Structures are given as structure tokens and as C-alpha cells.
Amino acid sequence: MKEYHCAVPLILVLCFAFGCQDKAARAELEKFKAQAAVEQQNLALVTKVFDELNKKNTEVYQELYAPDYGWHFPSNNPKGLTREEEEGFSKMLWAGFPDMRYDLKEMVARGDKVMVRFITGGTHSGEYQGLPPTGKKVEASGMWIGQVIDGKIVNAKEDFDVLGWMQQLGMELKPKEPKK
Amino acid sequence: MGQNAATLRRFLEESDNRNLDAWRDICTSDYRLHFAGNAPMSLEEHIQANKSLPEAFPDFRHTIEDIVAQGDKAVFRATLHGTQKGTFMGIPATGNAIQYTAMGMARFKDGKIAEMWMEADFLGLFQQLGMELRPKETKKST
């Protein structure tokens, strides 16, 4: 009987503890679900950005990029290009490669980050970086990682096979010649 | 940090530790590397390629900026630093300090890296070693 008396409060304590644990687990689950929902939204946003760029719709830069956005490419361009500078860069590419498209191969979202692995290519039918059109089809791979806050891309980092892209256009690496 | 993120971090750190033997534990035996537009490399080929870096850049190391993991994938962004003290891809030692970025995406299988996609700013690296892009010469002048 003594044991029984002791057990009653113990059961109460255990019930209380498990109740709390259940509550904590539920809160954890809710947090997880909320994060998964944000990650889905961020994936949709980044997919939309690349889709719109494939349509050459430069309005995405105003609509989906934060005003103080910075693009760290190539390498850690310390200042980061502004969204207006990135728009200029895209227009320069489209002038050289009017049929240029991004083909998204894989995406990973975690927290506020979205990563994209892509292949892009096009036909060199306009002037590009001083190179007259060659008619060559080029294709190269890249990776992009962006941070999304409140539905806007606030910064992005990219590594892209620029060397492979330029080699396909008939360029090669040579020791730098001293300036005349 | 999740297990896959920690494993990807260790993969990069073991390169800085000059302990590439650890990659044989971290990666599956049928590991494949897809780097830029090159043909896929096996684990042993990737180990050999990575070993040649500290020969040219003895202080070669990674600064990891981001690791993002989800499901069976983990991604890194890093800046690579070093000083060229030896020949690198035919370029004799310049003594130049170099810095360039790289990204990679790893696919995991049973806790090991089974496949990796990587990109790096190799053009930027070569430019820091005194190279530049020029139109390819089609005719050999003698």
C-alpha cells in the first residue's frame, strides 16, 4: 500500500512531465513545419526568378531583389554588384547570346538560403566582350547560392565556369603581355 | 549542425590538414566528382588532383563561408587561399598570393559522399598568376 501511495504522486509527476514533453515536441514540429513552408516559398521564388530571366523580364530585379542586394561574382567581388549592375550584366549576355537560357538541374533550400546548380548556354550571335559573333553554341555549368528574406533576394554568391565558356568562344589562357 | 553538413565540413578540413587519406572514409568507393565541364573523376583521381595543389601552394587552405544541407544533399561555398611557391599547371612559381572562390554540392549515401559537383573561379585564379584570355592563335608563326 505504501508503494501505491508513493506511486500516485509519481504517476502525476510523470504525466505532467510527459505532457510537457509532448507540448515541446508539438512546438518543435510546428517550428519545423513553418520552416519547411518558408523553404518551399523560397524555392518557388528562386525558380520564378530564373524563369523570368529566361523570358528576359528584367522587372524581376525591382520586384524580387532587395534594394541593397549584392551579387558576389566573380569570386568575392568585395563590394558586390548592385541589382542594377546585375541587370546590366544580364542585358550584356543577352545581346551576345539572344537564346541564352538557364536550365536548373538541382535546388537545395535550408533556412533562408537557396542553392541552385545550373547549366546555361546559348548561341554567340551578337558582340560579347569585344568578340564579334562567332555563331558558336556554348554551354557551361554554375552554382548559385542566394539568401531570401521576406520574399526578396538580399544577396547571392555564384561560381560559374567562365573559363570554359570563354574557351568555347575560341579564347585561351596566355601569359600576360606587358602593356605597350 | 546535421550529420551531412558536418561530414562535408570535415571533407574540406581534411584537405587543409593534408590528410586526404580520410577522404577514403568520408566518401563511397564509387565516388564521382563533376568539376566544371570536365569528364567525371574517381575518388583516387580527385585525391591526386587535390594533392597537387599544396605542391604549388604549400599554405593552401579553405575558408568555409556557407554550408547548407537538406535531405541527401549538402552544399558549401568557400574561399581558397594560398601562395604560389611551385609550378601550377605549367606556370612556374610566381610567389603571388592568390584567393578565389569555389562551391560544391555533395550527394550523400549512407552517411558518405557519393557524388560531388564543383565550380571554382579558375579564370580568376589564373589571372592572379599572370595569365590572361586571348584569342587562340590558329596558325603557328615560326
Side-chain angles (χ1 to χ4, degrees):
Chain A
M1 279 305 273
K2 251 185 186 168
E3 272 176 31
Y4 174 79
H5 283 292
C6 286
V8 171
L10 183 66
I11 285 167
L12 283 175
V13 165
L14 282 176
C15 285
F16 182 72
F18 279 115
C20 277
Q21 217 170 46
D22 187 47
K23 226 176 175 179
R26 229 178 291 161
E28 197 59 35
L29 183 68
E30 286 307 314
K31 214 177 107 187
F32 179 78
K33 275 190 192 163
Q35 186 183 311
V38 168
E39 286 164 0
Q40 285 307 312
Q41 285 166 16
N42 291 350
L43 280 175
L45 175 94
V46 171
T47 306
K48 183 169 194 261
V49 165
F50 280 94
D51 280 349
E52 293 301 319
L53 290 177
N54 280 344
K55 294 179 204 158
K56 303 186 177 57
N57 174 15
T58 54
E59 280 170 23
V60 290
Y61 288 112
Q62 298 297 319
E63 287 169 11
L64 302 177
Y65 286 57
D68 58 351
Y69 166 85
W71 187 34
H72 303 276
F73 173 79
S75 275
N76 278 340
N77 181 337
K79 194 161 64 84
L81 295 177
T82 65
R83 60 182 184 177
E84 286 75 19
E85 286 168 328
E86 187 178 321
E87 182 176 334
F89 186 90
S90 288
K91 284 179 174 166
M92 180 270 288
L93 274 170
W94 298 335
F97 307 87
D99 59 348
M100 190 182 137
R101 279 186 61 83
Y102 293 97
D103 181 8
L104 306 190
K105 292 295 184 190
E106 208 149 10
M107 298 176 87
V108 174
R110 185 68 186 254
D112 59 3
K113 301 271 172 70
V114 178
M115 186 273 185
V116 182
R117 183 167 70 78
F118 64 88
I119 289 182
T120 186
T123 315
H124 181 210
S125 44
E127 193 183 303
Y128 171 69
Q129 304 221 345
L131 288 175
T134 57
K136 284 182 177 145
K137 278 193 174 13
V138 297
E139 189 181 271
S141 51
M143 289 189 202
W144 180 98
I145 185 165
Q147 189 181 15
V148 182
I149 294 178
D150 297 333
K152 303 260 187 197
I153 302 174
V154 297
N155 67 65
K157 299 166 183 178
E158 184 171 331
D159 285 304
F160 178 72
D161 181 20
V162 182
L163 180 58
W165 183 268
M166 297 306 288
Q167 283 169 333
Q168 290 172 57
L169 293 174
M171 305 293 280
E172 64 182 349
L173 283 167
K174 285 280 190 179
K176 203 176 261 175
E177 279 180 353
K179 286 238 156 56
K180 283 171 204 166
Chain B
M1 203 197 301
Q3 200 52 52
N4 290 351
T7 302
L8 183 59
R9 182 175 291 275
R10 189 177 156 222
F11 178 88
L12 299 172
E13 285 170 353
E14 294 295 10
S15 166
D16 290 353
N17 297 339
R18 310 289 181 251
N19 180 27
L20 293 173
D21 286 341
W23 283 13
R24 297 190 182 98
D25 296 328
I26 295 170
C27 305
T28 62
S29 56
D30 60 351
Y31 167 93
R32 282 285 174 277
L33 168 71
H34 310 270
F35 176 62
N38 301 299
M41 276 189 201
S42 68
L43 178 60
E44 294 308 316
E45 285 167 334
H46 192 184
I47 287 173
Q48 285 315 311
N50 201 288
K51 269 186 180 158
S52 70
L53 278 163
E55 285 165 17
F57 307 92
D59 55 349
F60 183 78
R61 66 191 164 81
H62 297 78
T63 302
I64 300 169
E65 294 168 19
D66 296 287
I67 296 221
V68 178
Q70 185 71 272
D72 67 344
K73 302 279 165 25
V75 174
F76 75 86
R77 189 7 150 92
T79 296
L80 296 92
H81 314 258
T83 316
Q84 196 203 2
K85 304 271 194 192
T87 303
F88 177 70
M89 295 183 86
I91 306 167
T94 57
N96 291 358
I98 55 99
Q99 181 174 318
Y100 67 101
T101 57
M103 284 179 74
M105 172 192 255
R107 180 176 65 81
F108 284 80
K109 198 183 165 212
D110 303 328
K112 292 190 176 197
I113 302 175
E115 204 166 5
M116 181 86 85
W117 291 263
M118 274 192 195
E119 298 294 341
D121 179 23
F122 259 36
L123 178 57
L125 167 63
F126 282 113
Q127 285 169 335
Q128 293 171 66
L129 299 179
M131 306 291 279
E132 65 180 357
L133 281 171
R134 282 217 300 274
K136 202 176 244 173
E137 285 161 29
T138 46
K139 271 183 260 174
K140 273 247 156 87
S141 52
T142 42

